């Protein structure tokens, strides 16, 4: 399993290269969800319908005159970026 620091660095690197973001949560706010704790399976993408261990972190993007919160999920075992959650749905991550 990757560490929170590794997850943060991978996510921050992706955001720095691909997203015009305005803020990002700190490492200590990264949430780990184990497959045993999941209430619902993964909602979108390659692992849709599966229970997996994943980290989640929030970041902000400016939409008009306000900041909107987004989230990124990363596979805790492999370090694979899964997808971005937005106020309107999900976005694929292309690495």
């Amino acid at each position: 399993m990757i560490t929170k620091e590794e997850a943060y660095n991978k996510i921050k690197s992706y955001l720095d290269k691909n997203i015009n973001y305005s803020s990002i949560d700190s490492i200590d706010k990264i949430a780990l969800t184990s497959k045993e704790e999941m209430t619902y399976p993964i909602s979108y993408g390659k692992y849709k319908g599966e229970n997996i261990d994943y980290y989640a972190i929030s970041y902000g993007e400016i939409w008009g005159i306000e900041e909107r919160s987004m989230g990124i999920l990363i596979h805790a075992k492999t370090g694979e970026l899964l997808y971005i959650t937005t106020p309107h749905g999900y976005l694929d991550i292309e690495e």
Side-chain angles (χ1 to χ4, degrees):
M1 185 175 307
I2 67 170
T3 65
K4 282 186 176 187
E5 290 81 9
E6 291 169 322
Y8 180 85
N9 291 334
K10 186 160 184 144
I11 290 167
K12 179 129 177 30
S13 175
Y14 173 80
L15 290 175
D16 287 344
K17 291 177 190 170
N18 300 290
I19 305 285
N20 187 14
Y21 67 99
S22 52
S23 63
I24 185 170
D25 282 348
S26 62
I27 291 173
D28 62 321
K29 292 197 176 187
I30 292 177
L32 171 64
T33 301
S34 72
K35 58 186 169 187
E36 292 81 23
E37 297 172 323
M38 291 180 71
T39 305
Y40 300 101
I42 293 291
S43 303
Y44 179 80
K46 178 179 177 180
Y47 297 96
K48 182 177 181 177
E50 295 183 35
N51 288 359
I52 62 170
D53 299 325
Y54 68 88
Y55 289 110
I57 189 169
S58 296
Y59 70 94
E61 280 187 48
I62 300 298
W63 286 28
I65 61 171
E66 64 185 22
E67 183 179 57
R68 295 270 177 109
S69 185
M70 313 290 179
I72 294 185
L73 273 64
I74 185 170
H75 199 297
K77 300 262 186 212
T78 66
E80 177 183 5
L81 295 173
L82 300 175
Y83 57 86
I84 297 171
T85 60
T86 75
H88 301 288
Y90 306 99
L91 296 172
D92 283 324
I93 293 179
E94 297 176 14
E95 291 187 75

